Amino acid sequence: MATNTLIGSLVRIRELSILLVTIACAGYFALTSTGFTSLDNGHTIAQYIAPWAIVGAGEAMLLICGEIDLSAGFVFTLAPFVLVLLNNNGLPLFVALLATVVICALIGTVNGLIRTLFNLPSFITTLGMAFLLQGLSLIISNGSPVPAPADTWVRTTFGGARWSELTWALVIIAVMQIVLSASRFGIYTQATGSNPVGAAESGIRTSRVKVVNFAVTSALAGFGGILEGMRVGSFDPTNGGFNTMFFGVAAAVIGGTALLGGSGTVVGALLGALLLGIVYDGFNLTGVNANAFNVVLGVAILVAMFLNTYLSVLRRRASAVRGRT
Amino acid sequence: MTDTDMIRAEHVRKRFGPVTAIQDVNLHVRKGEILGLIGDNGAGKSTLIKILTGYHQPDGGQLFFEGEPIHLRSVVHARSLGIETVFQDLAMIDDLPVYLNLHLNKELVHRPLPFLRRKEMRRKAREALDSIGITIGSVTDPVSQLSGGQRQAIAVARSVFSDAKVLLLDEPLAAMGAKEGGLILRLLMQLKERGDRPGHHSDCPQLQPDRRRRVCDRVNLLQHGTITFDKASKDTSVAELLDLVHAEYRL
């Protein structure tokens, strides 16, 4: 039965169920609101999803290796101010940008080392780091926004041009997905999250895998923060924070990454961010009451997750049937 | 005590607080030999195995590997020397497919590019499993979908297909069905016949003494932390072995 195997093999693809839910949501808003399908609205959605997808890409890797980074949102907040600080002290803008990303990676390394050397849960470690970074952002910025550096090629390339933030997000997603599914490091990340003892018995240096993933997550979050600030044209100490971090984690989990580690994909985080962005934008367009907005958003996320899980059950059943025949 | 000993323990001791787990153990395995280690629960089998795999460090005595005195710092260190272990917990990664588990930490990549050669690994995994007669649906299935016995067979296959010089099996037939159990024993016989793969030391379980005796070249009995019996399998019998184990409980 050709159709049966075709459906069977389609259902086996992990990301397909969340993609179907996303398309269904897009269809709903296209029919019920005016202007949802316009290019300008596409740009608005892109602005929502780019930071969530960038933070989500790192969080997906961390979740897969069994950790979480609650401080990523504040690295996102802090990075633009570090950039300004370095730039004001004489570093050319591009060099300052690279140095900032390196500093963000070091913050992640500290998270990872505290986690692995002292065996503290990453939840507490990164929660502490989150408040520390929030305070630092407020001190450096003096609590008020700073205008982004003047128009240069650096500004245009990194967030200034119309679609550049989304383009960077897509490039990051593609690179991280390749790292996860086509490199030995990706296999180690999955093994570390799935069976830490077994992975260590096989000689995988699980602590190092975790530290690297913490560093990557922070570097990505910092880079995302810079892109966001460059796009908006102003660096704001109230940007990012727990909100951006939780949307990133939600994007990864909606995209099928297990909260307890072992399995997941980076592309899933992009689809999760896309779903969140469409729902967020769609309710804005259909004019949901501002006070009720989060209620509607929350219900929509729960329904989307329910559909996603239900489709996953169908997928597993299909693959089990295929395995038996 | 000859130069052909792959691994040798002399006067090895290990205490855990007030409990003496093993005392003054002398043990050796020659190249191409299968040694069965038997003993009652609590006799010190697991402790001895864990010392030989580098998991525990002995309190006294000396280990020799290929004739040289050696201090095993860790399991990874032991493995780097060619001492492979199949742990009782199997060290399987449930979320990864069978072929990646077989290649765990030995993945093939397109050198100098760091990309995985998945197709090649699938082919090799299929070949490896076929050659020893392990039947599973697909090498791309995650290990979580396999039965306990199949998982154990794959764990053994993984150690065998590394360049192990000494293979240690901790309770190799636990949780195995009759078919898979027979498969593992057959696999050990094959390895011995091939001869290029020297020295196997297997910690056989208490149960099924008859099957064990057919596979092992030599049997050591561990009692109260010390080896009390060392004979070639052909010179002993199931009755004698059971008799020895049970002797101390008789009135």
Side-chain angles (χ1 to χ4, degrees), chain A residues 12 178 180-184 187-188 190-195 197-204 261-263 319 323, chain B residues 75-76 79 87 89-96 100 104-107 109 111 114-116 118 137 140-141 145 158:
Chain A
R12 277 164 69 92
I178 290 170
L180 177 63
S181 58
S183 78
R184 298 183 75 178
I187 302 295
Y188 297 163
Q190 289 178 61
T192 302
S194 182
N195 183 355
V197 177
E201 280 173 355
S202 305
I204 293 171
S263 69
S319 71
Chain B
V75 177
V76 177
R79 181 170 293 136
F87 289 98
D89 68 10
L90 303 184
M92 287 274 124
I93 309 297
D94 274 355
D95 291 297
L96 290 178
L100 283 177
L104 196 61
N105 207 14
K106 301 185 212 39
E107 295 86 355
V109 291
R111 292 195 191 284
F115 299 120
L116 296 171
R118 285 181 182 266
T140 54
D141 282 343
Q145 289 182 6
R158 176 168 68 189

Side-chain angles (χ1 to χ4, degrees), chain B residues 53-213:
Chain B
T53 64
Y55 188 87
H56 288 321
Q57 273 69 47
D59 296 332
Q62 180 67 51
L63 295 180
F64 295 86
F65 181 66
E66 294 184 306
E68 301 289 319
I70 188 134
H71 169 68
L72 298 173
R73 290 189 302 272
S74 65
V75 177
V76 177
H77 178 219
R79 181 170 293 136
S80 71
L81 297 169
I83 305 174
E84 280 281 338
T85 312
V86 179
F87 289 98
Q88 239 176 317
D89 68 10
L90 303 184
M92 287 274 124
I93 309 297
D94 274 355
D95 291 297
L96 290 178
V98 170
Y99 72 95
L100 283 177
N101 267 290
L102 275 172
H103 287 95
L104 196 61
N105 207 14
K106 301 185 212 39
E107 295 86 355
L108 306 172
V109 291
H110 293 281
R111 292 195 191 284
L113 296 175
F115 299 120
L116 296 171
R117 301 171 66 183
R118 285 181 182 266
K119 214 169 158 187
E120 177 75 1
M121 286 193 278
R122 279 199 292 271
R123 194 182 61 75
K124 283 202 157 177
R126 173 54 73 191
E127 269 180 24
L129 295 180
D130 282 349
S131 75
I132 55 175
I134 297 174
T135 47
I136 52 163
S138 163
V139 289
T140 54
D141 282 343
V143 169
S144 55
Q145 289 182 6
L146 302 181
S147 72
Q150 286 175 319
R151 292 156 63 89
Q152 191 127 25
I154 287 168
V156 173
R158 176 168 68 189
S159 302
V160 167
F161 285 97
S162 63
D163 292 319
K165 290 177 176 169
V166 174
L167 189 59
L168 295 147
L169 307 172
D170 194 3
E171 303 281 352
L173 305 183
M176 279 215 163
K179 185 178 170 229
E180 281 101 357
L183 199 99
I184 298 301
L185 295 180
R186 206 175 69 228
L187 179 59
L188 291 178
M189 295 305 283
Q190 276 178 13
L191 284 167
K192 199 172 80 166
E193 277 158 27
R194 235 191 286 167
D196 59 329
R197 203 158 318 244
H200 298 93
H201 169 230
S202 68
D203 171 30
C204 294
Q206 274 258 60
L207 299 168
Q208 301 159 315
D210 183 43
R211 270 213 304 203
R212 178 191 56 237
R213 204 176 58 83

Side-chain angles (χ1 to χ4, degrees), chain A residues 17 62-63 66 97 126 187 199 284 304:
Chain A
S17 50
L62 265 182
L63 287 170
L97 190 149
T126 59
I187 302 295
N284 268 325

